[in-house]
Amino acid sequence: MKPIQKFTVSPVLPERLKRLQDIAYNLWWSWDVETRELFRRLDLDLWEETRHNPVLVLSRIDQEVLEARAQDESYLYQMDRVLERFDRKLEKTPWFQQEVKGDIQLNVAYFSMEYGITESLAIYSGGLGVLSGDHLKSSSELGIPLHAVGLFYQSGYFQQSINIDDWQEEKVAANDFYNMPLKLVKENNGNRLMINLPFPERTVYAQIWKAEVGRIPLYLLDANVDENTESDRKITAELYGGDKEMRIRQEILLGMGGVRILKFLGITPCVCHLNEGHSAFSGLERIKNLVQKHGLKFYEALEVVKSSSIFTTHTPVKAGIDLFGPELIGKYFKDYCKDVGISINELLALGRKDPKDLKEEFSLAILALKLSFKSNAVSKLHGEIARKMWKSLWPEILTEEIPISSVTNGVHHASWISGEMGNLFNRYLGPEWLSKPTGKDIWKNVYQIPDGELWRTHERRRERLVGFVRRSLVQQYKDLGKPTHEIARVKSVLNTEALTIGFARRFATYKRASLIFSDPDRLEKILSDKDRPIQIIIAGKAHPQDDEGKKIIQEILKLSHEERFYQSVVFIENYDINVARYLVQGCDLWLNNPRRELEACGTSGMKAAVNGGLNFSTLDGWWDEIYHPGIGWAIGNREVYDNFDYWDEQEAKQLYNVLEKEIIPTFYYRDTDGLPRDWIRRIKDSIVNICPIYNTNRMLRDYTEQFYFPAAERAYLMRNNSFTISKELAHWKKHMRDNWNSIRFLKIETSSTKQLSVKSGLEITTVIFLDGISPHDVELQIYCGKVDSNGKIVDGKLVSMILEAEMGSNKFKYKGSINNWDSGLNGYTIRIIPKHEALINPFEDGLIHWFEG
């Protein structure tokens, strides 16, 4: 039954506790240990029951408890201390204002499909969302002027439960928006601020919720409003839910609706950062605004939007890219094309590898690549993979020239470190390990921590992890209705002193969660050594439609129930940020074994490292660029096999060998003080090598210095003088595209190639034909180097040629020379590329002409 009227009811806080509400509504509490403790002290059971949601705690707590706390001097002392730090953190002049110089007024809009900030704000599914959340937290700490945009899902991602047959089931739990750390955005007259978007034959509306993430505002669109049809209210029902048409509706709302939010609020970003391709439609909305407001033509406006857009890709496989059929794009963008003055095929071309292939599906990732000033992968290896993956967009250019760079991900230390480890760092490193996490000299002070103190701190976290696992298993068994004796039995699983291996992530098949279980008999021998006990804790969700991932979970669970594994292998259901925090803080060894080249970065191992856990991983993502013996262990040697079964078999054997011969002996070798000195040394080396680099403060500084400011400066250039350069560049590009196919090589001549030595020079001249193109609009380059067994130049170098003579009849003579050869078989070829001072890079339109003999 629908109500006649809706209204919100607020808790009544005693005057002395009023400011608890200020803290509760700023997600800064999610990464401040003492602030979380402040709410935990109000009512520990309620804190756990509400999944650590201070707003809900304040709304449900007994008034008597609040009145008692208002008279509790110790509680008030802690609250005042937290408030003083909270106010100081928000007012303090951060890195950006202190150190970043420049004439450009930076303002960044950040778009992401999900945000993993805290477990009680359930609008995330995994690593992409957690990375987005950490991005906002570090932006706040550094003072980067950034506004974030996302969607607010009625039920978020699914809640996982394991049934009596060990099969994953999905439950939908509705978010109670009015009891979460968010506020509804309202207009000056007190009414809800609503945006609207044109959809086929209707208008879709969305209200906006605002979360404060320290200094950073996060705006979330919510389509579940009475103004929409029942179908359209479901656009924000669940994260990654529904069919293709529901996905395109979500992504239109995120991208185009997100731009409208900022416009309504009077926020004019000079840079838009797209975290994955889900928000690529934002570029189309920005183009439309320029066409309508400034009278630009579509391709002129495209140059402006492109100059100010940054695209980060997290997907190393094409199967993870959103694709839409031409008919679906036509249905949702037919009117848009009329409004901006282009055909639907012109729009489709922006999302296709081959613009001429009318049957090719439309890719949001390709749209994002074509509408962005700079694009990046999320680790160095992923950068190499991404350049190969998207080479088809630039088929004629060298792989290393493909315009996709990399910024390796990091983690927000304060969000993931245990309170005990944080206190230890405060004592021996000083507070700057947290405020200046990129300071390598600061982290070297880890070596000053006494071995015994570091080890005891880590052991306490392992004990807490074991206690958490036992409580979780008891609840799982109760929910399943298992008999009392089985419930009693799981209260004593695991060993608080055993070498504890953690594995927690999304259960995609390429992550190979079952690799360590591939030889159960061998694993049994490893785990059953009473003198050197080992235990494994696993958590993670499979996508609701991924039956293969669910089968892996089921296989692991069935093994864990066998008597030989009952005490040493456990699976924790409903993996979320809270479970992740316990695991990375308490495990001794963090296991990660995806097939190489399929993990874009991975960040869970970074979280384990700052807590004193050691990494044991395949050489993929971030681990590939930092690993060296002494800071952890590697599985494999960067091999890649076509036969997956053989690949898995080989790396499973290597995993067991390293575990048996290196890891276990190192952990259990104790000196006369009972300390594993070699293990502790590795912990310290791991922290010193990993923590100063793999944190989101470093990542945000990289984005700011290498991406945000260059994009802002280019955007200013493209907008200056009534968009003069944007207009001229758009017309120049069209002219070059229309005339490019007229280019021909007419003649190539070289000096003698006989008896060349490494000190010899080779002179090369060529005559080319240009029809309708000026020689000043092209550059000729010699590509030369060693020739491999396949007859191809490898690791060559480029040498520019100079225009020597205009020969009439559209013929032009160029000259160049090559020096500094390597001995052996060498070769060269010549290419022609576009040249214009306003180009981001010469390959924007894929124009290139190689000599073909």
Side-chain angles (χ1 to χ4, degrees):
M1 188 67 66
K2 288 190 175 183
I4 297 172
Q5 187 178 359
K6 299 177 184 178
F7 47 86
T8 57
V9 179
S10 302
V12 178
L13 293 178
E15 190 63 33
R16 189 67 175 86
L17 302 182
K18 286 284 187 187
R19 290 210 62 201
L20 281 178
Q21 200 126 11
D22 294 342
I23 307 174
Y25 277 96
N26 191 309
L27 288 157
W28 174 78
W29 59 259
S30 70
W31 70 89
D32 187 82
V33 173
E34 191 174 12
T35 308
R36 293 199 299 273
E37 179 62 27
L38 194 65
F39 290 107
R40 188 184 290 112
R41 282 186 66 182
L42 286 175
D43 187 322
L44 176 59
D45 292 337
L46 189 56
W47 176 253
E48 295 298 331
E49 185 183 327
T50 61
R51 297 183 70 212
H52 309 160
N53 179 352
V55 173
L56 190 53
V57 167
L58 293 178
S59 72
R60 289 175 52 183
I61 196 166
D62 289 341
Q63 195 68 33
E64 293 80 7
V65 174
L66 291 174
E67 298 294 344
R69 288 290 181 265
Q71 305 298 321
D72 184 337
E73 289 299 324
S74 71
Y75 186 83
L76 295 175
Y77 172 76
Q78 183 181 11
M79 185 188 75
D80 289 343
R81 192 170 60 202
V82 166
L83 283 165
E84 188 274 331
R85 196 170 65 259
F86 173 67
D87 292 335
R88 188 177 71 247
K89 287 283 186 182
L90 295 189
E91 293 170 3
K92 182 182 176 183
T93 302
W95 166 80
F96 185 86
Q97 281 76 22
Q98 286 178 331
E99 299 184 25
V100 177
K101 311 295 181 186
D103 299 327
I104 301 296
Q105 192 73 29
L106 188 65
N107 189 359
V108 180
Y110 183 82
F111 293 78
S112 184
M113 194 76 165
E114 50 175 299
Y115 290 91
I117 300 169
T118 176
E119 56 270 23
S120 60
L121 187 58
I123 54 172
Y124 66 95
S125 70
L128 177 71
V130 171
L131 187 279
S132 300
D134 282 8
H135 193 111
L136 302 194
K137 293 170 184 177
S138 278
S139 294
S140 172
E141 291 183 347
L142 293 171
I144 295 168
L146 183 145
H147 298 80
V149 178
L151 300 181
F152 199 6
Y153 306 98
Q154 186 64 53
S155 56
Y157 204 50
F158 71 90
Q159 301 292 304
Q160 179 197 52
S161 63
I162 304 299
N163 68 20
I164 200 69
D165 296 318
D166 297 324
W167 188 255
Q168 171 184 294
E169 292 184 345
E170 298 85 33
K171 297 179 181 178
V172 175
N175 284 320
D176 180 1
F177 295 179
Y178 293 90
N179 273 312
M180 299 181 82
L182 307 147
K183 292 184 178 177
L184 200 58
V185 178
K186 297 183 179 180
E187 299 184 79
N188 293 333
N189 60 11
N191 293 330
R192 292 174 302 162
L193 178 61
M194 298 274 283
I195 62 134
N196 61 79
L197 281 168
F199 271 49
E201 300 178 354
R202 66 196 189 279
T203 299
V204 169
Y205 299 87
Q207 61 187 4
I208 298 105
W209 296 85
K210 181 182 179 182
E212 297 284 357
V213 188
R215 295 181 175 90
I216 304 301
L218 167 60
Y219 298 102
L220 301 168
L221 291 100
D222 170 20
N224 186 22
V225 294
D226 293 339
E227 289 81 357
N228 286 333
T229 64
E230 193 64 33
S231 173
D232 287 334
R233 292 180 68 165
K234 293 179 181 177
I235 293 174
T236 52
E238 57 183 312
L239 176 59
Y240 303 134
D243 57 13
K244 287 273 189 181
E245 186 152 9
M246 184 56 74
R247 287 296 291 273
I248 199 171
R249 291 178 187 175
Q250 285 188 332
E251 289 164 346
I252 289 171
L253 183 60
L254 171 64
M256 306 183 87
V259 171
R260 293 195 176 199
I261 286 179
L262 300 175
K263 185 178 178 182
F264 267 72
L265 295 172
I267 299 165
T268 307
C270 58
V271 176
C272 286
H273 186 170
L274 315 182
N275 191 42
E276 257 308 342
H278 308 118
S279 54
F281 290 134
S282 61
L284 299 183
E285 179 71 8
R286 294 168 65 209
I287 288 172
K288 182 178 177 180
N289 288 342
L290 288 165
V291 169
Q292 293 181 338
K293 182 176 179 180
H294 297 283
L296 298 182
K297 294 180 180 177
F298 180 85
Y299 292 103
E300 295 170 348
L302 185 151
E303 294 299 331
V304 181
V305 168
K306 182 172 185 174
S307 70
S308 57
S309 300
I310 304 298
F311 169 50
T312 298
T313 174
H314 296 257
T315 310
V317 290
K318 293 186 179 179
I321 303 295
D322 282 334
L323 298 173
F324 300 110
E327 303 81 11
L328 199 57
I329 295 295
K331 176 179 178 179
Y332 281 87
F333 286 92
K334 177 180 63 176
D335 291 338
Y336 173 89
C337 290
K338 291 178 183 176
D339 291 341
V340 297
I342 62 170
S343 68
I344 191 66
N345 282 332
E346 287 179 278
L347 178 62
L348 287 166
L350 290 173
R352 287 171 167 164
K353 289 181 295 183
D354 181 1
K356 298 176 183 177
D357 183 355
L358 301 183
K359 295 182 179 180
E360 184 182 333
E361 290 187 300
F362 184 91
S363 163
L364 281 186
I366 292 176
L367 177 65
L369 285 166
K370 289 185 177 181
L371 291 185
S372 292
F373 166 56
K374 289 193 175 187
S375 301
N376 71 282
V378 291
S379 70
K380 292 177 182 176
L381 178 59
H382 181 221
E384 296 174 16
I385 303 307
R387 287 187 286 275
K388 293 175 184 176
M389 178 176 170
W390 295 112
K391 184 170 173 54
S392 56
L393 284 175
W394 301 274
E396 296 296 322
I397 74 171
L398 304 172
T399 300
E400 59 268 23
E401 292 178 313
I402 290 171
I404 301 175
S405 59
S406 64
V407 174
T408 303
N409 285 342
V411 297
H412 183 252
H413 288 156
S415 294
W416 299 102
I417 195 166
S418 70
E420 294 91 339
M421 188 66 80
N423 289 334
L424 191 65
F425 286 169
N426 286 337
R427 289 201 301 276
Y428 291 96
L429 279 65
E432 287 192 336
W433 73 270
L434 201 53
S435 60
K436 297 181 180 179
T438 58
K440 293 184 179 181
D441 289 339
I442 296 169
W443 287 102
K444 287 179 181 177
N445 290 320
V446 163
Y447 292 120
Q448 305 303 316
I449 302 174
D451 286 357
E453 195 168 353
L454 176 60
W455 187 243
R456 284 191 296 273
T457 299
H458 182 67
E459 286 195 306
R460 281 196 296 272
R461 286 311 313 182
R462 190 195 310 119
E463 290 167 5
R464 290 198 180 189
L465 170 60
V466 170
F468 170 75
V469 169
R470 289 170 177 171
R471 292 192 302 273
S472 300
L473 286 174
V474 166
Q475 190 59 52
Q476 285 177 216
Y477 276 40
K478 285 181 177 178
D479 292 343
L480 286 171
K482 290 207 172 188
T484 305
H485 71 276
E486 286 197 39
I487 294 173
R489 193 180 184 195
V490 296
K491 290 180 180 179
S492 61
V493 297
L494 303 181
N495 180 339
T496 58
E497 297 181 353
L499 169 58
T500 302
I501 300 172
F503 182 98
R505 51 195 32 87
R506 184 167 54 90
F507 266 65
T509 52
Y510 76 84
K511 293 177 184 282
R512 301 188 299 185
S514 59
L515 193 68
I516 195 170
F517 302 103
S518 56
D519 187 341
D521 294 335
R522 186 171 180 182
L523 182 63
E524 179 190 4
K525 292 178 182 177
I526 294 171
L527 299 183
S528 61
D529 186 338
K530 290 183 172 53
D531 296 324
R532 302 192 302 182
I534 317 295
Q535 56 199 16
I536 306 170
I537 304 173
I538 308 119
K541 296 177 179 179
H543 188 278
Q545 297 174 355
D546 182 7
D547 282 349
E548 291 304 312
K550 292 181 183 181
K551 286 177 184 176
I552 294 173
I553 292 175
Q554 187 179 49
E555 289 167 8
I556 292 171
L557 277 160
K558 289 195 179 301
L559 271 175
S560 74
H561 299 325
E562 293 182 16
E563 192 62 34
R564 55 180 175 167
F565 296 124
Y566 193 85
Q567 283 289 330
S568 54
V569 177
V570 296
F571 182 94
I572 304 300
E573 71 179 9
N574 207 26
Y575 181 48
D576 66 359
I577 287 176
N578 185 48
V579 174
R581 198 182 293 117
Y582 270 101
L583 284 166
V584 298
Q585 290 174 2
C587 285
D588 299 293
L589 190 71
W590 195 254
L591 181 62
N592 182 39
N593 42 237
R595 295 192 184 98
R596 179 174 162 83
E597 300 186 351
L598 295 179
E599 188 81 272
C601 181
T603 58
S604 57
M606 304 174 194
K607 298 161 192 167
V610 76
N611 283 287
L614 295 181
N615 278 273
F616 183 28
S617 175
T618 48
L619 293 167
D620 203 9
W622 76 281
W623 191 238
D624 180 68
E625 62 192 54
I626 187 64
Y627 169 74
H628 59 269
I631 66 167
W633 291 270
I635 301 168
N637 294 298
R638 298 186 172 90
E639 305 95 337
V640 175
Y641 299 95
D642 293 329
N643 185 323
F644 283 1
D645 291 337
Y646 178 77
W647 190 352
D648 295 350
E649 181 185 346
Q650 293 304 306
E651 293 197 336
K653 289 178 181 177
Q654 291 172 16
L655 187 158
Y656 290 133
N657 287 340
V658 174
L659 197 56
E660 290 172 324
K661 296 176 182 178
E662 297 183 41
I663 295 173
I664 296 173
T666 302
F667 183 85
Y668 280 107
Y669 180 77
R670 308 295 166 100
D671 68 1
T672 54
D673 295 326
L675 295 174
R677 298 282 182 182
D678 190 23
W679 189 274
I680 295 169
R681 177 185 59 79
R682 289 170 186 267
I683 288 176
K684 292 181 177 180
D685 288 345
S686 169
I687 291 170
V688 168
N689 280 272
I690 292 171
C691 292
I693 301 172
Y694 297 97
N695 61 79
T696 40
N697 282 39
R698 184 274 310 156
M699 182 186 84
L700 262 297
R701 290 175 70 155
D702 286 350
Y703 275 119
T704 301
E705 293 165 354
Q706 301 171 27
F707 289 75
Y708 293 164
F709 264 112
E713 289 167 359
R714 181 172 176 83
Y716 175 79
L717 179 71
M718 301 300 279
R719 285 177 170 273
N720 202 19
N721 295 325
S722 301
F723 306 95
T724 298
I725 295 178
S726 298
K727 295 174 181 178
E728 194 276 325
L729 183 59
H731 297 159
W732 180 87
K733 281 185 175 183
K734 183 178 186 306
H735 174 77
M736 295 295 284
R737 289 193 299 268
D738 291 344
N739 291 278
W740 190 256
N741 289 335
S742 68
I743 294 175
R744 296 195 302 276
F745 284 98
L746 299 179
K747 185 195 299 184
I748 293 180
E749 295 178 340
T750 66
S751 56
S752 175
T753 57
K754 292 181 179 180
Q755 297 181 334
L756 280 176
S757 73
V758 292
K759 295 184 178 180
S760 301
L762 184 66
E763 300 291 329
I764 302 172
T765 59
T766 184
V767 178
I768 65 171
F769 175 81
L770 300 174
D771 187 6
I773 294 177
S774 166
H776 303 294
D777 290 335
V778 298
E779 180 178 357
L780 269 70
Q781 296 175 328
I782 303 167
Y783 181 60
C784 57
K786 297 274 288 186
V787 176
D788 67 9
S789 58
N790 295 316
K792 294 183 178 181
I793 299 171
V794 291
D795 299 325
K797 63 179 181 179
L798 291 163
V799 179
S800 293
M801 304 183 78
I802 59 172
L803 178 62
E804 188 174 58
E806 297 188 17
M807 303 172 66
S809 301
N810 298 325
K811 297 176 183 178
F812 304 90
K813 184 178 182 181
Y814 286 79
K815 184 178 181 179
S817 61
I818 314 171
N819 298 290
N820 301 318
W821 302 93
D822 290 327
S823 61
L825 186 63
N826 285 264
Y828 79 90
T829 186
I830 302 175
R831 70 182 188 181
I832 305 171
I833 59 175
K835 184 174 71 173
H836 191 289
E837 62 181 6
L839 281 174
I840 296 170
N841 66 72
F843 313 112
E844 289 185 52
D845 286 347
L847 301 180
I848 188 168
H849 188 82
W850 290 90
F851 173 78
E852 295 179 1

